[in-house]
Amino acid sequence: MLCTRLTNARFLTMDPDHPVAHDLGIWQGRIAGLDEAVTSLPAREVVDLQGATVLPGFIDAHVHLAWTGFKQTTPSIAGRTRVDDVLAVVAEAVARTRAPGDWVSIAGYDQRALGRHLTAADLDRVSDGRKLYLLHDSGHGCVVNTAVLDLLPADIPHENGFLAEQAMGAARALRLPHAQEDLAEAIGRAARTCLAEGVTACAEAGIGGTLFGHSPVELGAYQLARDKDLLPLRVQLMVSADRLRPVTAHETDGIPRALDLGLRTGFGDDRLSVGALKVYTDGGMMARTAALTSPYEGLDHAGQLQDDPDVLTGLIVDGHLAGWQLAVHAIGDRAADIALDAIERAQRLRPRPEARHRIEHAGLIRPDQLPRFARLGVSAVVQPSFLRCFGDDYASIMGKERAPWMYRGRAFLDHGIPLVGSSDRPVADGSPLRAVQFMVERASASGQLIGPDEAVTVDQALHAYTVAGARACHWEDRLGSLTPGKHADLVVLGDDPRNVDSSRIGDIEVVETYVAGLPSRPRT
């Protein structure tokens, strides 16, 4: 007997052997069969989906759950365009603290809305003895007041209170780690948001590190969230590469650096597991710190690397030698050169064709870099909503020649490079459907076309958020398609993305999301 049979729907299975179905059977959280294989079987529950369209649950291959959850409850200055209005929000947050010396966090900082960066002097006007920390929306910088600057070593660079990349990490390190209970609650809030948008599995893009880590025992917070039933979707955890430590392993292992006890990609189960090693090579376009081979349009610099190229290369090679899948953050084309060079060197030292190394973001990829991606078997894990949300700004700072190279779609597929969809939530909108719409239209929120030749079909965009996402996370044997034997993770939509005008894809209703055969809103 089936646990559940879903009927009267259009199942777009993403499985070429059975691309469309009308019935789907579920038994013990897995797909038991499709159509005639299950139609006549008894079931404890039969759910009439009333003609809805059903897809495999969306996979967000690059997201920040804890950051998203904290941002949802942090005072925000998003949308403010006047410095005085920003300072009023900060002053209100300061007034709610208990005592001088407290830390005050503010979210939503973006200098582009203000026309300039805030300064420590600006913040000092409203700090009242508190330590102020305004996180840049990109996650690659922050603005602090003088009370924080006074605590930093003298050699930490800043621009009137704005700290970028590793300098930001130094400011973060001044604060106590978040408690595991608080982390678990934040993770749960973000996970529920993902689930409401049809995401049933995601890869958390970097725990425990200097830039984006929240605690040296952050993995434990995810276990706590699971134990407390706060984790309603499947999560794979990328570990920040700065957690690797030199080890004295047996010489035949060939492991120069490792995580404690040799923990690496693959540890865990279907609900919570360890994924790739996250290596940061540069910053971000929003903060103007993505590392380019030529300067930003209208600026006199070309971004920055996170460290000396030889240091970054050594980290990537050592991660590969220790058996990790690599997820290398490289937004600018100069950073991508370093990442590709290092991955090629690593594979030459110890060939691991099954590793499925990834370039996270691949934000600006020159034409000459595409064949190298393909030859090395590297996936491109892109964030289409970056251009939907920020495309006008990004196009202006890249200029006419480079703008079409940003967050590519068609060129990756034409070269046989796996194209994987993700959001980088909370940096940008996390909705997979709105990202799919951009991939098809290549239009920013204002309607500007950005690299229209990089547009892909609806089917190819959906593939990026299902089949390709599963493969990038080594989940292809259990997720990514509605295939018998795989987990019954699926999303019920109010319309078929393939049959509506492309301008409507992002507004299609997510009616229900199932994980392991159970709906996110249990029926009564």
Side-chain angles (χ1 to χ4, degrees):
M1 175 180 285
L2 298 172
C3 297
T4 308
R5 187 173 78 247
L6 304 179
T7 189
N8 188 19
R10 182 173 177 80
F11 294 92
L12 306 181
T13 69
M14 306 305 291
D15 182 346
D17 293 334
H18 196 146
V20 181
H22 52 75
D23 275 28
L24 182 145
I26 300 171
W27 184 72
Q28 293 189 350
R30 291 184 180 265
I31 299 169
L34 302 167
D35 294 342
E36 287 69 27
V38 298
T39 300
S40 61
L41 294 179
R44 296 192 186 101
E45 181 181 33
V46 177
V47 180
D48 185 342
L49 293 177
Q50 302 179 353
T53 295
V54 182
L55 281 158
F58 295 126
I59 296 172
D60 190 333
H62 184 118
V63 66
H64 299 276
L65 291 179
W67 179 12
T68 298
F70 283 127
K71 187 174 181 178
Q72 290 172 342
T73 59
T74 299
S76 177
I77 56 174
R80 268 64 172 196
T81 58
R82 297 175 64 248
V83 171
D84 285 347
D85 293 340
V86 167
L87 295 180
V89 173
V90 176
E92 184 178 346
V94 165
R96 291 198 296 268
T97 59
R98 295 179 180 178
D102 284 351
W103 283 89
V104 177
S105 294
I106 302 292
Y109 175 61
D110 185 346
Q111 84 285 357
R112 297 172 304 176
L114 300 172
R116 68 169 177 89
H117 272 301
L118 291 174
T119 67
D122 291 328
L123 298 181
D124 288 345
R125 291 161 48 193
V126 293
S127 62
D128 194 24
R130 274 64 170 177
K131 304 181 188 74
L132 303 186
Y133 183 96
L134 280 64
L135 180 62
H136 195 274
D137 264 347
S138 67
H140 288 272
C142 66
V143 179
V144 299
N145 64 337
T146 301
V148 176
L149 293 178
D150 287 344
L151 298 175
L152 291 170
D155 61 347
I156 297 296
H158 71 90
E159 184 179 340
N160 297 318
F162 179 74
L163 301 105
E165 308 303 341
Q166 297 300 328
M168 177 195 72
R172 286 173 65 100
L174 295 173
R175 309 181 65 171
L176 287 173
H178 287 281
Q180 284 197 345
E181 288 280 355
D182 294 339
L183 273 165
E185 293 290 338
I187 291 162
R189 282 192 297 274
R192 292 189 293 274
T193 300
C194 292
L195 205 64
E197 294 181 339
V199 175
T200 57
C202 65
E204 165 66 53
I207 63 169
T210 301
L211 287 180
F212 289 93
H214 297 88
S215 166
V217 290
E218 194 165 359
L219 193 152
Y222 281 84
Q223 290 180 284
L224 180 62
R226 175 177 172 163
D227 293 345
K228 297 180 68 173
D229 201 24
L230 296 174
L231 204 60
L233 72 171
R234 305 181 196 279
V235 179
Q236 189 178 85
L237 302 172
M238 299 184 204
V239 177
S240 291
D242 55 11
R243 302 301 299 176
L244 294 185
R245 298 290 181 266
V247 295
T248 307
H250 193 279
E251 61 181 15
T252 60
D253 293 335
I255 300 176
R257 279 187 279 184
L259 209 61
D260 289 346
L261 302 178
L263 191 72
R264 61 173 174 82
T265 302
F267 185 82
D269 59 25
D270 288 340
R271 280 287 185 161
L272 182 63
S273 61
V274 175
L277 186 72
K278 179 72 176 294
V279 184
Y280 293 93
T281 63
D282 70 344
M285 287 188 189
M286 193 189 307
R288 311 321 195 215
T289 54
L292 312 178
T293 51
S294 300
Y296 288 88
E297 194 80 6
L299 300 177
D300 60 358
H301 69 86
Q304 65 187 78
L305 297 171
Q306 293 287 353
D307 211 323
D308 181 85
D310 289 340
V311 172
L312 297 173
T313 297
L315 198 54
I316 291 169
V317 170
D318 285 357
H320 173 90
L321 295 177
W324 287 89
Q325 179 189 23
L326 299 171
V328 185
H329 168 115
I331 292 184
D333 57 333
R334 183 185 176 206
D337 280 334
I338 289 172
L340 293 170
D341 287 346
I343 290 172
E344 183 168 22
R345 178 181 173 189
Q347 290 284 20
R348 193 165 55 243
L349 289 171
R350 182 177 297 169
R352 286 176 53 218
E354 80 291 348
R356 298 185 194 171
H357 296 323
R358 310 159 34 148
I359 300 293
E360 307 299 301
H361 307 296
L364 186 76
I365 301 301
R366 302 186 310 269
D368 65 284
Q369 293 174 313
L370 294 167
R372 294 196 69 198
F373 266 80
R375 179 164 52 82
L376 293 170
V378 174
S379 297
V381 183
V382 300
Q383 298 76 40
S385 284
F386 277 15
L387 293 188
R388 191 182 73 82
C389 298
F390 316 126
D392 296 350
D393 173 62
Y394 285 13
S396 69
I397 61 171
M398 287 300 110
K400 185 176 181 180
E401 179 185 10
R402 293 182 294 183
W405 304 346
M406 294 191 297
Y407 297 94
R408 292 176 179 271
R410 170 62 54 194
F412 286 134
L413 294 178
D414 285 350
H415 282 79
I417 300 163
L419 175 65
V420 183
S422 69
S423 69
D424 204 16
R425 186 195 304 263
V427 178
D429 179 4
S431 164
L433 285 171
R434 286 191 282 273
V436 165
Q437 178 175 325
F438 174 83
M439 295 175 79
V440 174
E441 295 186 328
R442 298 289 299 192
S444 71
S446 73
Q448 179 182 351
L449 293 180
I450 302 171
D453 291 343
E454 292 294 333
V456 301
T457 68
V458 174
D459 281 334
Q460 290 167 333
L462 293 173
H463 187 277
Y465 278 90
T466 53
V467 178
R471 184 182 181 278
C473 297
H474 290 269
W475 281 332
E476 73 275 10
D477 61 335
R478 68 202 85 163
L479 298 174
S481 65
L482 302 181
T483 301
K486 292 189 177 183
H487 293 300
D489 294 4
L490 46 91
V491 56
V492 182
L493 302 179
D495 218 328
D496 185 340
R498 305 183 309 176
N499 291 339
V500 302
D501 187 272
S502 62
S503 64
R504 291 182 50 210
I505 293 174
D507 295 324
I508 292 175
E509 179 188 5
V510 175
V511 178
E512 185 60 277
T513 308
Y514 285 73
V515 177
L518 298 176
S520 57
R521 294 183 288 272
R523 292 176 291 277
T524 57

